[in-house]
Structure formats: C-alpha cells, structure tokens
Amino acid sequence: MIEVSHLTKSYGSVTAVDDISFRVEPGEILGFLGPNGAGKTTTMRVLTGYMPATEGRAVVAGFDVFEQPIEAKRRIGYLPETPPLYPEMTVHEYLSFVARIKGVPGGEREQRVNSSMERTRIDDMAGRHCGKLSKGYRQRVGLAQAILHNPEVLILDEPTAGLDPKQIIETRELVKELAGDHTIILSTHILPEVSQTCQRVVIINRGRVVAEDTPDNLTARLRGAETVLLEIDTNGADPAPALSAVDGVTRVTATPGATGLSKTEVETVQGRDLRRDLARAVVTNGWGLLELRSMRMSLEEIFLHLTTEETDEDEGGADLVTATSSAPEAPDA
Ligand SMILES: Nc1ncnc2c1ncn2[C@@H]1O[C@H](COP(=O)(O)OP(=O)(O)OP(=O)(O)O)[C@@H](O)[C@H]1O
Ligand SMILES: [Mg+2]
C-alpha cells in the first residue's frame, strides 16, 4: 500500500532523510520511531506530497507521490505535527470547509463531516470555535480532517503528542479502530506507543533506518543472549569456573568486590531461564546468594542501544530524547 524506496531529503547541507526504504502492507499500522530530529516529520511531509524529495521514490496506493500527486493525495489523510485549524471557525464549519477543499462532493459533505466527528468523538464540540478547543480536542479535530475524505492511507505525525494519559489511550484506541480499513503510518518518539499500537516498527535515527521489524521480534532479535546478574558471597573465590559449567551458560564475567563478594554477569543461550540452575550452582559450592536477577532488554533499551550506537559511530554525543514532550515544528524549507 505504501512503498518508499531510497528516499533522501536534504535541506541545503542538512540531510534530514538519508536513503530510507520501507513498505507498509494494506490495513497495517506501521510505527515510525525515532528520537527528535531523526527525520520522521520530513519523511511524512515528503510522503504526503507536502514537499519534494531530493532523491528516491514513494508510491502510495499505487500512485507515485511525485508523478501523480493529485491521485496520491486523494488517498492520503495527513495529521501534521500541528493541525492547521482556523480559530474563528467552529469545528463543524472547519470540517465542512476542509471537505470542500478536499473535493468531497456537495451532496456527501454533511454526511462525511458528521461521520468523521462521530468517529473521533468530537460531535459534542461541533459548535465550538476551533480556537477555544483544548489540545486533546484540537488533535482529534486534526484526526477528523485527516479521515474526512475517507482516504485509504493515514499518515499521522505524533498523534498523541501533548495529550494527557486518558486522551493518549483514547487516541490509541481510535487509531486501532481506524486500521483495517485504513493503512496507517504513525510517528512517535515514545516507545509504549509502538508496542501498544503498531504491528511493525521502523526505527530511524539521523535520517537512516536502523531497524525494521515487529515489536516482539525486535525485542527477541536484539536481546540475543539473555543475561543474568548475580551477587555472590564466594569468600574471595572466583565463581566463573563453577557457573560456566552450568548447561546453557555461554559466558561469565565476574568482578571481585569488597569483602569476598563477587558481582557476576552470566550470559545464557536465548530462550532458556537458567536462574534455578545458577542458584543451585551457587548453593552447591557453599556460597551465599545475595542477589539474582534476569536482565531483559526492553524495547526502550533496544531503541537506545540502536540509536546510541549509530551516533557513537558517527561522532559521539548522542542526543536522545525519549520524553513525552514534542519539539516545536521545524520551519518549512
Ligand atoms: N525546514 C527545514 N530546514 C532545515 N532543516 C530542517 C528543516 N526541517 C527539518 N530540518 C532538520 O531535519 C532533521 C530532521 O527533522 P524532522 O523534523 O524530520 O525530525 P523528526 O524526527 O520529526 O523530529 P521530532 O521528533 O523532533 O519531531 C533535523 O535535523 C532538522 O533540524
Ligand atoms: Mg517531527
């Protein structure tokens, strides 16, 4: 449904998006995840035909967004970072106006406006001026205008940015409801967003794709070996030989600590929980087991791992943000 190949976008000397490729299947929700400045908004603006790419190709619902922009746009609903509302218009007036611009035939407009308001649960705000809406409702009106012409594809730039926890949950539910009969790309720099909403994730960092998979596979693939941390009172002895002998252990790193204690990191083969065997080995040797815990990489750690590694390779000084605030919209080229 969406196919992006070798897309590059430069703003003068800044390469915001650098040779990215990915696809989204019909009915799927793809999470576009990356830290601030990764190139999410830039990619979405190019995909929606809002600005041209420097290189590469994007096809939406069978139409090349550069060569057949009108056909492509007809099939795309776009929620920009900041929904462009007219403060003097009521919600109903605004949506009717957008319906007219989007070429919804006169006879269908009222019905489309009403059904979009129902779907995004803003019908009770129909008569309210856009300028007087709360942030959450502005975001919902933004969503309502995106689905107004019943597009096949929705491109949502940080749909939950700035919402309160209740609104975040409601918006996630709404996005899930919209999937199925829509294909959705949503961008976020918040991790729970993708694990809870999306079937697949593309992680971008500094304009490049650093990973693409399902949230579960990403966790499994990147976890690789599992690690168990132990703190053992060995009375000064080295616990490594005894722990290495446990079936399934691939590596033991013991760091001698104060007064006979040892902090030990044990890597094990994937998919096996060796905590019981490790505890038994410790006790069998007559040592004291002070702590034992499994370290699993959360999606958050994977994200940090991927995005930090990439920046470390470049020039160091990772500038990662996983907070819930959104950055101000960058000025247009
Ligand atoms: N109009 C512009 N002119 C020059 N540089 C720009 C412009 N818009 C974006 N950039 C730069 O391109 C890079 C990617 O920006 P983009 O807005 O696409 O990131 P983002 O992933 O959406 O970040 P955020 O999470 O903060 O919204 C950044 O380095 C940004 O400074
Ligand atoms: Mg952005």
Side-chain angles (χ1 to χ4, degrees), residues 52-74:
T54 310
E55 263 175 74
R57 216 168 107 84
V59 177
V60 175
F63 295 95
D64 188 306
V65 296
F66 314 123
E67 279 160 19
Q68 299 149 292
I70 296 172
E71 288 300 324
K73 270 186 188 156
R74 214 169 258 167

Side-chain angles (χ1 to χ4, degrees), residues 35-42 44 81 157-158 187 189 327-330:
N36 289 134
K40 304 179 295 291
T41 297
T42 302
M44 293 185 147
E81 250 171 357
D157 199 354
E158 310 232 15
S187 77
H189 54 278
E329 181 138 5

Side-chain angles (χ1 to χ4, degrees), residues 102-165:
K102 290 195 175 186
V104 177
E108 289 172 31
R109 262 178 229 153
E110 188 61 19
Q111 186 267 327
R112 288 294 324 156
V113 167
N114 288 333
S115 80
S116 301
M117 288 198 302
E118 266 167 41
R119 259 198 124 165
T120 52
R121 299 188 190 90
I122 51 173
D123 8 6
D124 49 336
M125 292 287 162
R128 179 78 60 100
H129 285 108
C130 291
K132 291 188 178 144
L133 294 172
S134 69
K135 165 85 186 157
Y137 272 100
R138 278 206 301 276
Q139 200 76 346
R140 288 194 212 187
V141 175
L143 264 177
Q145 66 76 31
I147 61 173
L148 205 49
H149 56 306
N150 203 16
E152 292 160 65
V153 170
L154 291 177
I155 296 185
L156 312 176
D157 199 354
E158 310 232 15
T160 59
L163 302 187
D164 71 30

Side-chain angles (χ1 to χ4, degrees), residues 10-22:
S10 305
Y11 299 104
S13 62
V14 180
T15 304
V17 171
D18 189 1
D19 190 26
I20 69 167
S21 301
F22 62 89

Side-chain angles (χ1 to χ4, degrees), residues 262-275:
S262 173
K263 283 200 186 286
T264 308
E265 224 181 278
V266 177
E267 269 179 37
T268 73
V269 292
Q270 201 181 335
R272 272 177 69 188
D273 186 354
L274 296 181
R275 284 177 298 174

Side-chain angles (χ1 to χ4, degrees), residues 186-218:
L186 71 85
S187 77
T188 179
H189 54 278
I190 308 162
L191 283 140
E193 200 73 30
V194 294
S195 38
Q196 288 172 27
T197 321
C198 308
Q199 284 111 352
R200 231 150 42 76
V201 190
V202 167
I203 303 183
I204 66 163
N205 187 42
R206 298 193 162 193
R208 289 181 155 269
V209 174
V210 292
E212 178 180 359
D213 216 325
T214 62
D216 283 352
N217 279 351
L218 267 183

